[in-house]
Amino acid sequence: MARLRAEVLVIGGGATGAGVAWDAALRGFDVVLVDRADLAIGTSGRFHGLLHSGGRYVVKDVVAARECVAENAILRRVIPQCIEDTGGLFVTFEDNDPGYGDRFLAGCHTAGLPVEEIPVAEALRMEPVVNPAIQRAFIVPDAAIDVWKTVWSLADGAVAHGARVLTYHKVIGLHTEHDAVTGARLRNELTGEELDIDAGFTINASGAWAAQIVRMAGIEGIGVIPGKGIMIGMNHRLVNTVLNRCAMPADGDILVPIRTISAIGTTDIRAADADEIPVTQAEVDQMLAEGERLVPGLRRARALRVWSGVRPLFQDEKAGGAEVDTRDVSRTHAVVDHRKRDGIAALLTMSGGKLTTLRLMAQDIVDAMCEQLGTDRPCRTAEVRPPRNEDGRYYQVGSRLAKREARLLDEQLICECELVGRERLEETMRARGTINLDDIRRQLRLGMGPCQGGFCIYRATGILHGVGRLSGAQASTSLLAFLQERWKGVWPILYGDQLRQARLDDWIFQGLLDVEHLPETGTGAPAALLEEEPIPA
Amino acid sequence: MAAETGHDVLGELMRGSLDHCVKCTICETFCPVSNVTPLFPGPKYVGPQAERFRVPREESPDASLDYCSGCGICTQVCPQGVQIAEINTQARAKLRKRTGFRLRDRIIARPDLTGRLGTPVAPLANLMLHSRLPRRIADRLLGIDERAPVPAFAGRTFQAWARKHRSPPAPRRVAYFHGCGANWYEPDAGRRTVELLEYLGCQVDVPRGQGCCGLPLQSNGMFEPARRYVRRLTRRLAPSARHGIDIVGTSTSCTLMLKREAREILGLDDDPELRMVSDHVYDICEYLLMLHDRGELRTDFQPLPLTVTYHAPCQQQGHGIGKPALDLMALVPELRVIENDATCCGVAGTYGLKTEKYEIAMDVGAGLFAQIAEARPDLAVCDSETCRWHIEQATGVRTVHPIEILHRAAGLSGPGH
């Protein structure tokens, strides 16, 4: 059996794990980051894309608000290319608690959050589709953050500092020796091969799956309540500023312009299993009804896709009881020190947290590791920019259009909706070495636009085959797997324009290409491609 | 636009129509421009696709959208109701805010101004416009292609004729919206329209001081002056509409501007005066066919033993009224009409005048020109003046408005006309 050695093993390739790998690698540790699937496909890849200013928490949770204020400023500095500086609007409605606006302003001042109240007319000029019945409007430095760009930038930064990233490697056991974790056994999910990692220290950054990991070291009593949230991606940017309802956090009160779409979110429902989070039509309906209050006519706008994610809301039996409403569980994070809690050394678990504070979470847990290891290496993530952020400029939505404009005459356009050209596609296929079109999707946004792959994914499949990585049968299987995955996000919102699109796509794939009867599918295809459910970290 | 908030509801709705796009590509297969040049990436690309990447606070990066000729065929053929041409026209206006407006565009977008300047000095102006050297200079300095057709100033205006003309009382009363073309360049065409309408039992008002409708400004991205122009014209036409008098126009793109485009593209839908005028505006062939359908049109036309081709211009098709000119010409005995089925002549108003676009315009029109050449007609017929000038220049076949055919058939054009 293959054997790897590392100083630090990071389990979980979401935003937290990538942040930890980047932080630890920058401090000079030899890091291995593992994930049971691709990077950022669990909770991280399934949120709305909001980089909080802190406004959402100023009234309810001032500690969380302060963290957001500080981290928002730092992330804008170190990963600007992952961030679009949209700004945020908080708007109040007549039927909200009339005192909330003033409490919000006071909370902003307490948390040190820069806020400005603007006249309603000005807010409506900024965002013409916002409900004209709003009573007050406040501007805060919310922003949109592209989680896949963020996670890949951090992971590539870690690799540039000597780290290794193993995707599609699932932890199937933790090794312990003398009351300390000494490594893990992994299984390659694509080949089925197993390997051992000897690690001086292990950081469990697997979020909603953290309890399953620590159980492998015999640790009990840690529970993670999967707080399910659904989000609906609307076909275009209905707003260009993050829109928040200025009230106590509730369902469907945020609309985030993220790249070419706008995402409305979210709900918070206790789920039984982090791997079983189907979206129901009732949830979709509720979300649209709430969205309609923010933006009248939202129901008539085209919904592109719906997805759900699970918040890792921790409960520690040794620390206290169980709350019922998952929204009442604090959004701040905490490092669980298993040496103190369970007498097991060289293992830390990150509990709670949110994307906006991913850098701080990483800093805190790597600090705690350094303390346990008795070494003093200062954190540098607040100063150093990871790859592709060096120029210090914010992301521009039109940048793809600008790049495309330069290549209009000499490059084939493959994904028309998200403007992915052939060269970039082939480069990514080669660089990633993946056979999974869904991995390519997350990296390039291939097939994420209005037609949901209807017009590009058969082209991309042919190219993937042509690039030489896949047999015909594997390519067909990859195509089918992609279509199945896309379909899951589309069927709960099949009405209006997206229904028409789905019918056309269906006609292309079933009627024209007869994809269900492609020759030889399934033979030699990696099992991971045919799994029914997505495989989060 | 709601004045108090600047709330551009209509603009948002138009932009929102991009949601209906299912990528079917029908618009691209019909686009006359993207079919002849790779410089224009096509209506689906620049319309519903690129629009998702355009953000107000960012600069427009896609200058290629300027190769759109604005013919509007994409919007007409879209089975899903995406307002592709309109989205693109608005994007162009935003692009131009960044790039600025060329002197050339400022000139050719104001036929009213050029007409006003050129008319008093018509002989000299015409000599300049149709001589090689000045045209070459205009080509190099301004970017107006030296080969492009430009009309000659008549040296007298239709308005001047109309002021002296007294239309006899008749049971039906209409107002004539003549447009810049008839006023400055083709006053005889305007006169023929009035004569025909009178022959058909109409008393014809010619509202004074009719200026440009703003369409060339709009299609060149100059929305602010376009709004001023169309509002000014609207004020002149509004009294007729207020009295319930229908307004007929021979310039089919300009009547479309009043009916629909100024409201939709310039966002003037809540201008009450414009709405009132819109409700009373007709393309002249549409109006005459409506009379015919009611049994109220004189049809005792004289035989006209001619062969003519008929091209329905894109803007005429934008009315959504079919091809009434064909139905009207069918009333003329012995007239043989060959319908052209090519989509666009290429000129698209001012597009084909531009040096960088002239050859594209000629390529777009190649199919139509070939059809006309093959038919060897006595006359070519087309409802739009800029298209007529372009077709005439390209084919050498005299090209007239359908009204001129009816005028002849009514026996109003003496021999030699």
Side-chain angles (χ1 to χ4, degrees), chain B residues 300-335:
Chain B
D300 53 341
F301 292 113
Q302 298 171 10
L304 215 55
L306 297 173
T307 294
V308 301
T309 56
Y310 175 69
H311 167 62
C314 310
Q315 292 277 310
Q316 190 276 338
Q317 288 295 284
H319 285 266
I321 53 174
K323 296 180 178 179
L326 283 177
D327 299 289
L328 293 172
M329 287 191 287
L331 301 172
V332 179
E334 293 180 36
L335 181 69

Side-chain angles (χ1 to χ4, degrees), chain A residues 74-401:
Chain A
I74 294 172
L75 292 187
R76 282 167 176 266
R77 204 166 59 228
V78 294
I79 51 166
Q81 256 306 306
C82 305
I83 293 168
E84 191 204 334
D85 185 19
T86 59
L89 261 179
F90 275 76
V91 293
T92 67
F93 287 88
E94 206 166 9
D95 56 352
N96 292 148
D97 168 6
Y100 194 88
D102 289 332
R103 297 215 306 280
F104 174 80
L105 268 180
C108 287
H109 294 312
T110 309
L113 169 59
V115 61
E116 185 195 345
E117 179 159 11
I118 59 168
V120 164
E122 194 183 327
L124 293 176
R125 245 193 316 275
M126 278 171 63
E127 295 300 343
V129 300
V130 170
N131 191 336
I134 57 171
Q135 303 282 304
R136 298 177 75 177
F138 307 93
I139 300 240
V140 293
D142 283 338
I145 181 165
D146 184 318
V147 69
W148 292 306
K149 278 184 90 165
T150 302
V151 167
W152 278 100
S153 170
L154 297 172
D156 288 347
V159 168
H161 285 79
R164 284 158 288 173
V165 176
L166 302 180
T167 55
Y168 291 104
H169 279 74
K170 182 177 181 161
V171 174
I172 55 173
L174 287 180
H175 302 312
T176 52
E177 224 172 276
H178 310 299
D179 294 332
V181 172
T182 57
R185 175 158 297 177
L186 310 177
R187 185 177 64 223
N188 183 328
E189 294 286 272
L190 300 179
T191 63
E193 286 166 28
E194 294 185 0
L195 83 155
D196 278 324
I197 292 193
D198 295 326
F201 208 96
T202 298
I203 292 179
N204 175 17
S206 57
W209 293 266
Q212 297 170 24
I213 296 291
V214 296
R215 224 170 280 138
M216 296 177 191
I219 294 168
E220 297 294 338
I222 285 187
V224 184
I225 321 166
K228 180 174 84 164
I230 78 158
M231 278 132 289
I232 300 175
M234 307 303 291
N235 180 50
H236 72 276
R237 291 166 66 106
L238 296 165
V239 288
N240 288 297
T241 311
V242 175
L243 186 61
N244 304 267
R245 191 157 57 223
C246 190
M248 287 305 260
D251 291 346
D253 56 357
I254 308 178
L255 183 62
V256 184
I258 173 84
R259 300 192 66 146
T260 48
I261 70 165
S262 34
I264 181 148
T266 174
T267 52
D268 202 336
I269 306 157
R270 191 177 182 142
D273 180 347
D275 285 324
E276 283 292 333
I277 45 169
V279 176
T280 66
Q281 305 235 302
E283 288 166 340
V284 168
D285 210 50
Q286 183 208 351
M287 186 65 49
L288 292 174
E290 295 297 335
E292 187 75 26
R293 277 159 44 92
L294 280 174
V295 172
L298 182 110
R299 266 181 186 284
R300 290 193 309 277
R302 177 172 177 176
L304 198 60
R305 187 171 174 77
V306 59
W307 65 91
S308 60
V310 283
R311 295 180 188 81
L313 302 174
F314 272 71
Q315 285 184 312
D316 189 342
E317 278 173 17
K318 293 190 180 174
E323 286 99 332
V324 177
D325 184 352
T326 54
R327 211 183 283 285
D328 290 332
V329 180
S330 174
R331 292 294 197 267
T332 55
H333 61 274
V335 175
V336 181
D337 183 340
H338 293 288
R339 190 173 60 174
K340 289 184 191 145
R341 185 186 182 280
D342 309 293
I344 293 177
L347 177 66
L348 296 172
T349 291
M350 176 51 71
S351 80
K354 59 181 104 45
L355 189 108
T356 299
T357 57
L358 79 98
R359 191 211 63 85
L360 179 64
M361 291 154 66
Q363 175 177 350
D364 286 350
I365 204 164
V366 179
D367 280 350
M369 175 180 79
C370 288
E371 193 192 318
Q372 204 176 111
L373 293 172
T375 161
D376 183 22
R377 303 187 195 180
C379 174
R380 296 169 58 210
T381 52
E383 292 87 40
V384 184
R385 287 185 178 139
R388 298 183 291 280
N389 289 285
E390 294 85 351
D391 71 356
R393 288 204 202 111
Y394 287 122
Y395 179 73
Q396 299 266 306
V397 181
S399 60
R400 280 201 176 181
L401 200 53

Side-chain angles (χ1 to χ4, degrees), chain A residues 84-86 121 124-125 128-130 132 235-238 240-241 259-261 301-302 304 395-402 404-405 408-409 413 416-419 448-451 455 497 500-501 504, chain B residues 3-9 12-13 15-25 28 37-41 44-46 48-65 80:
Chain A
E84 191 204 334
D85 185 19
T86 59
L124 293 176
R125 245 193 316 275
V129 300
V130 170
N235 180 50
H236 72 276
R237 291 166 66 106
L238 296 165
N240 288 297
T241 311
R259 300 192 66 146
T260 48
I261 70 165
R302 177 172 177 176
L304 198 60
Y395 179 73
Q396 299 266 306
V397 181
S399 60
R400 280 201 176 181
L401 200 53
R404 181 69 203 151
E405 185 74 9
L408 216 48
L409 299 181
L413 189 59
E416 299 172 48
C417 304
E418 292 293 327
L419 303 182
M448 289 182 73
C451 79
F455 283 73
D497 289 319
R500 290 183 194 102
Q501 182 74 60
L504 180 60
Chain B
E4 69 282 6
T5 59
H7 197 148
D8 185 3
V9 177
E12 286 305 318
L13 289 178
R15 187 171 188 276
S17 78
L18 72 86
D19 273 357
H20 307 320
C21 177
V22 293
K23 307 275 145 190
C24 69
T25 313
E28 308 241 308
T37 175
L39 295 173
F40 181 54
K44 181 174 76 165
Y45 179 91
V46 300
Q49 270 167 206
E51 185 62 22
R52 294 176 71 242
F53 290 83
R54 296 192 189 111
V55 173
R57 68 176 147 259
E58 294 180 10
E59 289 184 346
S60 301
D62 52 332
S64 59
L65 71 83
Q80 298 293 323

